[in-house]
Amino acid sequence: MQNKEIRLASRPSGVPTLENFKFLETDTQPPGEGEVLVRTLYISVDPYLRGRMRKGRSYIAPFEVGQVIESGAVGEVIESRSDRFKPRDIVTGMFGWRLYNVIDADHLMKVRAGPPATAALGVLGIPGLTAYFGLLDIGQPKEGETVVVSGAAGAVGTTVCQLAKIKGCRVVGLAGHDEKNRYLKEDLGVDATINYREADVRQALKEACPKGIDVYFDNVGGEVSDATLPLLNHGARIVICGQISMYNLDVPDIGLRPQPFLVINSGVMKGFIVTDYVARFGEGIQQLNHWVEEGKLTFTETIVDGFENTPRAFIGLFSGENLGKQIVKVGDPGD
Ligand code: NDP
Protein backbone atom coordinates (compact mmCIF):
# COMPACT_ATOMS: atom_id res chain seq x y z
CA MET A 1 0.00 0.00 0.00
CA GLN A 2 1.27 3.43 -0.93
CA ASN A 3 1.89 5.51 2.18
CA LYS A 4 2.46 9.23 2.66
CA GLU A 5 4.19 10.93 5.56
CA ILE A 6 5.03 14.41 6.80
CA ARG A 7 8.47 15.12 8.18
CA LEU A 8 10.07 18.11 9.87
CA ALA A 9 12.09 19.67 7.03
CA SER A 10 13.72 22.40 9.13
CA ARG A 11 13.37 23.97 12.55
CA PRO A 12 10.98 26.94 12.46
CA SER A 13 12.13 30.40 13.40
CA GLY A 14 9.13 32.36 14.66
CA VAL A 15 5.71 31.14 13.50
CA PRO A 16 6.14 27.86 11.57
CA THR A 17 5.66 27.97 7.80
CA LEU A 18 4.79 25.28 5.23
CA GLU A 19 8.49 25.19 4.25
CA ASN A 20 9.26 23.65 7.65
CA PHE A 21 7.42 20.48 6.54
CA LYS A 22 8.21 17.91 3.86
CA PHE A 23 5.83 15.35 2.31
CA LEU A 24 7.20 11.95 1.27
CA GLU A 25 5.70 8.90 -0.41
CA THR A 26 6.81 5.60 1.12
CA ASP A 27 5.75 1.96 1.27
CA THR A 28 3.56 0.61 4.04
CA GLN A 29 5.29 -2.05 6.15
CA PRO A 30 3.37 -5.10 7.41
CA PRO A 31 2.87 -5.32 11.20
CA GLY A 32 5.21 -7.56 13.21
CA GLU A 33 4.25 -9.76 16.17
CA GLY A 34 2.31 -7.67 18.75
CA GLU A 35 1.85 -4.83 16.26
CA VAL A 36 -1.13 -3.37 14.43
CA LEU A 37 -1.44 -1.66 11.03
CA VAL A 38 -3.65 1.39 11.46
CA ARG A 39 -5.17 3.67 8.82
CA THR A 40 -5.29 7.27 10.04
CA LEU A 41 -8.75 8.84 10.30
CA TYR A 42 -8.24 11.97 12.41
CA ILE A 43 -5.09 13.81 13.47
CA SER A 44 -4.89 16.16 16.44
CA VAL A 45 -2.68 19.20 15.88
CA ASP A 46 -1.52 20.75 19.16
CA PRO A 47 0.39 23.87 20.24
CA TYR A 48 2.98 21.84 22.18
CA LEU A 49 4.27 20.36 18.93
CA ARG A 50 5.90 23.75 18.31
CA GLY A 51 8.06 23.11 21.39
CA ARG A 52 9.15 19.75 19.97
CA MET A 53 10.36 21.51 16.81
CA ARG A 54 12.89 23.42 18.90
CA LYS A 55 16.17 21.93 20.15
CA GLY A 56 16.80 21.80 23.87
CA ARG A 57 15.72 20.20 27.09
CA SER A 58 12.01 19.84 27.76
CA TYR A 59 9.61 17.26 29.17
CA ILE A 60 9.62 15.42 25.84
CA ALA A 61 12.39 14.86 23.31
CA PRO A 62 12.52 17.31 20.37
CA PHE A 63 11.81 16.11 16.83
CA GLU A 64 14.96 15.70 14.79
CA VAL A 65 15.06 17.39 11.40
CA GLY A 66 13.96 14.71 8.91
CA GLN A 67 11.86 12.88 11.53
CA VAL A 68 8.17 12.14 10.92
CA ILE A 69 6.03 14.43 13.10
CA GLU A 70 3.84 12.56 15.58
CA SER A 71 0.78 13.55 17.58
CA GLY A 72 -2.41 12.13 19.01
CA ALA A 73 -4.67 10.56 16.39
CA VAL A 74 -7.57 8.20 15.78
CA GLY A 75 -7.42 5.40 13.25
CA GLU A 76 -8.96 2.18 12.02
CA VAL A 77 -7.23 -1.17 12.41
CA ILE A 78 -6.50 -2.69 9.00
CA GLU A 79 -4.43 -5.68 10.08
CA SER A 80 -3.64 -6.94 13.56
CA ARG A 81 -0.99 -9.25 14.94
CA SER A 82 -2.16 -8.68 18.49
CA ASP A 83 -5.05 -10.41 20.22
CA ARG A 84 -6.08 -7.04 21.70
CA PHE A 85 -7.31 -5.65 18.37
CA LYS A 86 -9.08 -6.85 15.25
CA PRO A 87 -9.62 -5.25 11.83
CA ARG A 88 -12.16 -2.37 11.86
CA ASP A 89 -11.52 -1.50 15.53
CA ILE A 90 -11.29 2.26 16.02
CA VAL A 91 -8.21 3.09 18.10
CA THR A 92 -6.34 6.08 19.46
CA GLY A 93 -2.74 6.75 20.42
CA MET A 94 0.32 8.65 19.23
CA PHE A 95 0.61 8.24 15.45
CA GLY A 96 3.21 9.43 12.99
CA TRP A 97 1.75 11.96 10.51
CA ARG A 98 1.23 9.15 7.98
CA LEU A 99 -1.71 7.65 6.13
CA TYR A 100 -0.79 4.26 7.63
CA ASN A 101 1.22 3.46 10.76
CA VAL A 102 2.49 0.24 12.21
CA ILE A 103 2.08 0.63 15.98
CA ASP A 104 2.85 -1.52 19.01
CA ALA A 105 -0.56 -2.72 20.28
CA ASP A 106 0.44 -1.80 23.85
CA HIS A 107 0.52 1.86 22.77
CA LEU A 108 -3.05 1.89 21.48
CA MET A 109 -6.45 2.16 23.14
CA LYS A 110 -9.89 1.38 21.75
CA VAL A 111 -12.02 4.47 21.22
CA ARG A 112 -15.09 4.52 23.47
CA ALA A 113 -18.30 3.78 21.58
CA GLY A 114 -21.00 6.46 21.78
CA PRO A 115 -19.53 9.95 21.36
CA PRO A 116 -17.98 10.83 17.98
CA ALA A 117 -14.51 9.25 17.65
CA THR A 118 -12.95 12.74 17.45
CA ALA A 119 -13.91 13.35 21.10
CA ALA A 120 -11.00 11.03 21.98
CA LEU A 121 -8.71 13.83 20.77
CA GLY A 122 -10.59 16.59 22.61
CA VAL A 123 -12.93 16.57 25.55
CA LEU A 124 -12.42 12.83 26.21
CA GLY A 125 -8.71 12.92 25.47
CA ILE A 126 -5.62 14.90 26.44
CA PRO A 127 -7.21 18.40 26.28
CA GLY A 128 -10.14 17.31 28.45
CA LEU A 129 -7.84 15.64 30.97
CA THR A 130 -5.61 18.71 31.01
CA ALA A 131 -8.59 20.89 31.87
CA TYR A 132 -9.87 18.40 34.44
CA PHE A 133 -6.67 17.93 36.44
CA GLY A 134 -5.33 21.45 35.94
CA LEU A 135 -8.51 23.15 37.09
CA LEU A 136 -9.78 20.73 39.69
CA ASP A 137 -6.54 19.46 41.23
CA ILE A 138 -4.41 22.61 41.05
CA GLY A 139 -7.01 25.38 40.68
CA GLN A 140 -9.40 23.87 43.26
CA PRO A 141 -12.26 26.23 42.36
CA LYS A 142 -14.95 26.80 45.00
CA GLU A 143 -18.51 27.91 44.54
CA GLY A 144 -18.84 31.68 44.12
CA GLU A 145 -15.17 32.21 43.25
CA THR A 146 -13.99 34.02 40.13
CA VAL A 147 -12.09 31.89 37.61
CA VAL A 148 -10.30 33.60 34.71
CA VAL A 149 -9.37 31.46 31.71
CA SER A 150 -7.03 32.56 28.90
CA GLY A 151 -7.13 30.70 25.59
CA ALA A 152 -10.73 30.18 26.65
CA ALA A 153 -12.16 29.20 23.25
CA GLY A 154 -9.66 26.43 22.49
CA ALA A 155 -9.78 22.71 23.25
CA VAL A 156 -8.52 22.98 26.83
CA GLY A 157 -10.08 26.39 27.48
CA THR A 158 -13.65 25.49 26.51
CA THR A 159 -13.53 22.53 28.89
CA VAL A 160 -12.02 24.58 31.72
CA CYS A 161 -14.77 27.21 31.35
CA GLN A 162 -17.49 24.57 31.60
CA LEU A 163 -15.90 22.72 34.53
CA ALA A 164 -15.62 26.02 36.41
CA LYS A 165 -19.32 26.64 35.73
CA ILE A 166 -20.16 23.13 36.97
CA LYS A 167 -18.32 24.07 40.18
CA GLY A 168 -20.52 27.16 40.57
CA CYS A 169 -17.91 29.82 39.78
CA ARG A 170 -18.08 33.15 38.00
CA VAL A 171 -16.12 32.51 34.79
CA VAL A 172 -14.31 35.13 32.74
CA GLY A 173 -12.88 33.96 29.40
CA LEU A 174 -10.33 35.62 27.12
CA ALA A 175 -10.21 34.80 23.41
CA GLY A 176 -8.98 36.68 20.36
CA HIS A 177 -12.09 36.76 18.15
CA ASP A 178 -15.57 38.16 18.83
CA GLU A 179 -17.37 35.10 17.45
CA LYS A 180 -15.40 32.89 19.83
CA ASN A 181 -16.40 35.10 22.75
CA ARG A 182 -20.01 34.95 21.60
CA TYR A 183 -19.81 31.14 21.62
CA LEU A 184 -18.34 31.17 25.14
CA LYS A 185 -21.15 33.33 26.45
CA GLU A 186 -24.13 32.04 24.52
CA ASP A 187 -23.32 28.34 24.26
CA LEU A 188 -21.16 27.70 27.32
CA GLY A 189 -22.67 30.18 29.78
CA VAL A 190 -19.41 32.03 30.47
CA ASP A 191 -20.25 35.12 32.53
CA ALA A 192 -17.96 37.66 30.87
CA THR A 193 -15.54 37.59 27.97
CA ILE A 194 -12.71 39.77 26.72
CA ASN A 195 -11.27 39.99 23.23
CA TYR A 196 -7.63 40.31 24.28
CA ARG A 197 -6.58 41.43 20.79
CA GLU A 198 -8.78 44.51 20.93
CA ALA A 199 -9.47 45.39 24.56
CA ASP A 200 -7.38 47.19 27.15
CA VAL A 201 -7.02 43.85 28.97
CA ARG A 202 -6.13 45.33 32.37
CA GLN A 203 -9.16 47.60 32.39
CA ALA A 204 -11.48 44.96 30.92
CA LEU A 205 -10.39 42.39 33.53
CA LYS A 206 -10.97 44.91 36.32
CA GLU A 207 -14.52 45.43 35.12
CA ALA A 208 -15.16 41.71 34.54
CA CYS A 209 -13.77 40.68 37.95
CA PRO A 210 -15.28 43.13 40.49
CA LYS A 211 -14.47 40.69 43.32
CA GLY A 212 -10.91 39.99 42.10
CA ILE A 213 -9.49 36.72 40.76
CA ASP A 214 -9.38 33.49 42.79
CA VAL A 215 -8.19 31.11 40.06
CA TYR A 216 -6.35 31.99 36.87
CA PHE A 217 -6.06 29.13 34.36
CA ASP A 218 -3.24 30.22 32.07
CA ASN A 219 -3.07 28.83 28.55
CA VAL A 220 -1.28 31.74 26.90
CA GLY A 221 1.14 33.64 29.18
CA GLY A 222 2.58 37.00 28.11
CA GLU A 223 0.79 40.31 28.57
CA VAL A 224 -2.64 38.72 29.09
CA SER A 225 -1.30 36.86 32.11
CA ASP A 226 0.55 39.91 33.42
CA ALA A 227 -2.78 41.75 33.50
CA THR A 228 -4.28 39.22 35.93
CA LEU A 229 -1.62 39.67 38.62
CA PRO A 230 -2.80 42.97 40.18
CA LEU A 231 -6.29 41.48 40.58
CA LEU A 232 -5.35 38.34 42.52
CA ASN A 233 -7.26 37.66 45.73
CA HIS A 234 -5.83 36.29 48.95
CA GLY A 235 -5.03 32.60 48.45
CA ALA A 236 -5.31 32.80 44.64
CA ARG A 237 -4.24 29.80 42.57
CA ILE A 238 -2.56 30.28 39.19
CA VAL A 239 -2.55 27.16 37.02
CA ILE A 240 0.21 27.31 34.41
CA CYS A 241 -1.06 25.04 31.66
CA GLY A 242 0.49 26.62 28.56
CA GLN A 243 2.25 29.74 27.29
CA ILE A 244 1.29 29.79 23.62
CA SER A 245 2.06 33.50 23.22
CA MET A 246 5.72 32.61 23.76
CA TYR A 247 6.07 29.42 21.73
CA ASN A 248 7.31 31.24 18.64
CA LEU A 249 9.72 33.59 20.42
CA ASP A 250 13.45 32.97 20.08
CA VAL A 251 14.19 35.10 23.14
CA PRO A 252 11.89 34.60 26.15
CA ASP A 253 9.78 37.60 27.14
CA ILE A 254 10.25 38.32 30.86
CA GLY A 255 7.25 40.61 31.44
CA LEU A 256 5.91 41.49 34.86
CA ARG A 257 7.52 39.48 37.64
CA PRO A 258 4.80 37.55 39.55
CA GLN A 259 6.58 37.01 42.89
CA PRO A 260 5.49 40.24 44.63
CA PHE A 261 1.85 39.55 43.76
CA LEU A 262 2.13 36.00 45.08
CA VAL A 263 3.75 37.14 48.34
CA ILE A 264 1.18 39.77 49.24
CA ASN A 265 -1.71 37.44 48.41
CA SER A 266 -0.25 34.16 49.73
CA GLY A 267 -0.86 32.97 46.19
CA VAL A 268 0.27 29.76 44.52
CA MET A 269 1.48 29.40 40.94
CA LYS A 270 1.95 25.85 39.69
CA GLY A 271 2.89 24.45 36.32
CA PHE A 272 2.01 20.92 35.27
CA ILE A 273 2.13 18.45 32.42
CA VAL A 274 -0.99 16.36 32.06
CA THR A 275 1.02 13.14 32.07
CA ASP A 276 1.84 13.89 35.74
CA TYR A 277 -1.67 12.51 36.25
CA VAL A 278 -1.39 9.42 34.07
CA ALA A 279 -2.26 7.11 36.98
CA ARG A 280 -5.59 8.97 37.31
CA PHE A 281 -6.50 9.22 33.60
CA GLY A 282 -9.18 6.53 34.00
CA GLU A 283 -10.94 8.55 36.71
CA GLY A 284 -10.69 11.73 34.62
CA ILE A 285 -12.13 10.17 31.46
CA GLN A 286 -14.94 8.52 33.40
CA GLN A 287 -15.95 11.79 35.05
CA LEU A 288 -15.67 13.84 31.83
CA ASN A 289 -17.70 11.24 29.97
CA HIS A 290 -20.32 11.30 32.72
CA TRP A 291 -20.70 15.08 32.38
CA VAL A 292 -20.91 14.76 28.58
CA GLU A 293 -23.66 12.14 28.92
CA GLU A 294 -25.52 14.32 31.42
CA GLY A 295 -25.37 17.23 28.95
CA LYS A 296 -23.38 19.36 31.42
CA LEU A 297 -20.25 19.31 29.29
CA THR A 298 -20.33 19.98 25.58
CA PHE A 299 -17.59 20.37 22.98
CA THR A 300 -16.91 21.87 19.61
CA GLU A 301 -14.34 21.08 16.96
CA THR A 302 -12.81 22.75 13.94
CA ILE A 303 -12.20 20.03 11.37
CA VAL A 304 -9.93 20.64 8.38
CA ASP A 305 -10.31 18.12 5.57
CA GLY A 306 -7.34 16.32 3.99
CA PHE A 307 -4.02 14.88 5.17
CA GLU A 308 -2.13 17.40 3.03
CA ASN A 309 -3.63 20.21 5.14
CA THR A 310 -2.16 18.93 8.43
CA PRO A 311 0.75 21.45 8.57
CA ARG A 312 -1.61 24.30 7.63
CA ALA A 313 -4.03 23.33 10.42
CA PHE A 314 -1.14 23.23 12.88
CA ILE A 315 0.14 26.66 11.82
CA GLY A 316 -3.40 28.04 12.10
CA LEU A 317 -3.36 27.43 15.87
CA PHE A 318 -1.04 30.42 16.24
CA SER A 319 -3.48 32.83 14.59
CA GLY A 320 -6.48 31.31 16.36
CA GLU A 321 -8.20 29.73 13.35
CA ASN A 322 -9.77 27.09 15.57
CA LEU A 323 -12.80 27.22 17.81
CA GLY A 324 -12.55 24.27 20.20
CA LYS A 325 -10.39 21.32 19.22
CA GLN A 326 -8.48 21.59 15.93
CA ILE A 327 -8.57 18.30 14.07
CA VAL A 328 -7.55 17.14 10.60
CA LYS A 329 -9.84 14.62 8.93
CA VAL A 330 -7.90 12.12 6.85
CA GLY A 331 -10.61 9.56 6.11
CA ASP A 332 -13.82 7.91 7.25
CA PRO A 333 -14.01 4.50 8.93
CA GLY A 334 -14.72 1.71 6.47
CA ASP A 335 -13.44 3.68 3.40
P1 NDP B 1 -6.15 25.66 21.53
O1 NDP B 1 -7.26 24.85 21.00
O2 NDP B 1 -6.43 26.61 22.68
O3 NDP B 1 -5.49 26.45 20.33
C1 NDP B 1 -4.58 27.46 20.51
C2 NDP B 1 -5.30 28.82 20.72
O4 NDP B 1 -4.37 29.70 21.31
C3 NDP B 1 -5.70 29.50 19.43
O5 NDP B 1 -6.97 29.09 18.99
C4 NDP B 1 -5.65 30.98 19.78
O6 NDP B 1 -6.95 31.44 20.17
C5 NDP B 1 -4.72 31.04 21.00
N1 NDP B 1 -3.50 31.79 20.68
C6 NDP B 1 -2.67 31.60 19.64
N2 NDP B 1 -1.65 32.49 19.69
C7 NDP B 1 -1.86 33.25 20.80
C8 NDP B 1 -1.16 34.34 21.40
N3 NDP B 1 -0.03 34.83 20.87
N4 NDP B 1 -1.68 34.90 22.52
C9 NDP B 1 -2.83 34.42 23.07
N5 NDP B 1 -3.52 33.38 22.54
C10 NDP B 1 -3.04 32.81 21.43
O7 NDP B 1 -4.98 24.70 22.02
P2 NDP B 1 -5.07 23.63 23.20
O8 NDP B 1 -6.38 23.75 23.87
O9 NDP B 1 -4.63 22.33 22.67
O10 NDP B 1 -3.93 24.14 24.18
C11 NDP B 1 -4.13 25.30 24.99
C12 NDP B 1 -2.89 25.52 25.83
O11 NDP B 1 -2.73 24.43 26.71
C13 NDP B 1 -1.62 25.61 25.01
O12 NDP B 1 -0.76 26.57 25.58
C14 NDP B 1 -1.02 24.22 25.15
O13 NDP B 1 0.36 24.20 24.95
C15 NDP B 1 -1.43 23.89 26.57
N6 NDP B 1 -1.51 22.48 26.89
C16 NDP B 1 -0.85 22.06 28.01
C17 NDP B 1 -0.89 20.77 28.40
C18 NDP B 1 -0.18 20.39 29.64
O14 NDP B 1 -0.03 19.19 29.90
N7 NDP B 1 0.26 21.35 30.45
C19 NDP B 1 -1.60 19.75 27.62
C20 NDP B 1 -2.34 20.29 26.48
C21 NDP B 1 -2.26 21.62 26.14
P3 NDP B 1 -7.38 33.00 20.09
O15 NDP B 1 -8.24 33.14 18.89
O16 NDP B 1 -8.10 33.19 21.38
O17 NDP B 1 -6.11 33.80 20.01
Side-chain angles (χ1 to χ4, degrees):
M1 256 178 312
Q2 187 73 56
N3 206 350
K4 271 190 199 157
E5 63 186 33
I6 305 173
R7 297 186 184 180
L8 182 67
S10 54
R11 298 200 184 280
S13 162
V15 179
T17 64
L18 293 178
E19 284 67 46
N20 297 129
F21 301 89
K22 183 164 73 178
F23 285 78
L24 257 96
E25 298 210 340
T26 59
D27 291 328
T28 308
Q29 302 302 318
E33 191 54 39
E35 292 181 330
V36 177
L37 175 63
V38 184
R39 184 168 65 86
T40 305
L41 301 178
Y42 299 102
I43 296 175
S44 165
V45 290
D46 307 277
Y48 83 94
L49 296 172
R50 175 64 180 87
R52 291 196 71 186
M53 294 173 186
R54 181 193 305 280
K55 256 190 169 159
R57 194 183 83 88
S58 189
Y59 62 96
I60 187 167
F63 295 122
E64 295 302 328
V65 171
Q67 187 183 341
V68 176
I69 312 283
E70 59 178 25
S71 65
V74 165
E76 180 178 29
V77 173
I78 300 291
E79 190 183 336
S80 176
R81 293 197 56 200
S82 154
D83 50 17
R84 293 186 54 219
F85 300 102
K86 56 181 189 322
R88 304 202 132 219
D89 280 349
I90 304 298
V91 292
T92 185
M94 291 294 283
F95 292 15
W97 285 6
R98 295 189 182 91
L99 296 180
Y100 300 93
N101 281 281
V102 172
I103 304 176
D104 185 331
D106 289 342
H107 298 162
L108 289 170
M109 277 187 337
K110 271 195 195 148
V111 169
R112 185 183 277 267
T118 47
L121 303 177
V123 70
L124 301 179
I126 292 298
L129 290 166
T130 302
Y132 179 86
F133 291 113
L135 182 69
L136 303 185
D137 209 65
I138 302 174
Q140 304 206 357
K142 293 173 194 64
E143 194 171 345
E145 287 190 328
T146 298
V147 176
V148 172
V149 185
S150 60
V156 175
T158 48
T159 310
V160 173
C161 288
Q162 294 177 84
L163 298 187
K165 286 307 299 176
I166 290 172
K167 294 292 168 188
C169 299
R170 172 176 173 78
V171 180
V172 177
L174 295 109
H177 297 81
D178 289 342
E179 64 277 17
K180 293 188 180 185
N181 284 324
R182 243 191 319 277
Y183 169 79
L184 291 173
K185 269 185 136 167
E186 291 173 10
D187 291 49
L188 302 190
V190 167
D191 298 282
T193 57
I194 297 168
N195 183 335
Y196 73 89
R197 290 183 204 267
E198 290 177 0
D200 172 343
V201 176
R202 269 169 199 263
Q203 186 55 34
L205 270 174
K206 222 169 161 179
E207 287 164 19
C209 306
K211 293 186 182 165
I213 299 174
D214 300 294
V215 179
Y216 172 47
F217 193 101
D218 187 10
N219 280 315
V220 309
E223 286 176 8
V224 166
S225 297
D226 289 354
T228 63
L229 294 172
L231 295 170
L232 296 181
N233 286 334
H234 184 81
R237 288 82 70 200
I238 301 181
V239 184
I240 306 294
C241 174
Q243 300 281 291
I244 193 169
S245 73
M246 306 218 261
Y247 293 174
N248 292 310
L249 300 182
D250 289 328
V251 181
D253 171 12
I254 303 285
L256 195 58
R257 289 190 167 86
Q259 292 89 335
F261 300 95
L262 296 175
V263 171
I264 63 167
N265 294 301
S266 304
V268 174
M269 182 183 255
K270 187 175 184 320
F272 75 108
I273 295 297
V274 66
T275 46
D276 299 344
Y277 292 93
V278 75
R280 291 176 57 198
F281 274 10
E283 163 210 321
I285 293 291
Q286 200 175 352
Q287 181 59 69
L288 290 163
N289 190 55
H290 182 63
W291 280 321
V292 169
E293 282 176 355
E294 279 188 323
K296 288 187 176 161
L297 179 60
T298 175
F299 59 97
T300 188
E301 300 163 331
T302 300
I303 300 188
V304 163
D305 222 344
F307 180 68
E308 66 285 2
N309 289 319
T310 308
R312 194 169 281 121
F314 167 66
I315 294 166
L317 292 171
F318 299 100
S319 49
E321 283 173 24
N322 59 307
L323 173 65
K325 178 67 202 143
Q326 179 67 64
I327 285 169
V328 179
K329 180 178 172 184
V330 179
D332 282 311
D335 271 358

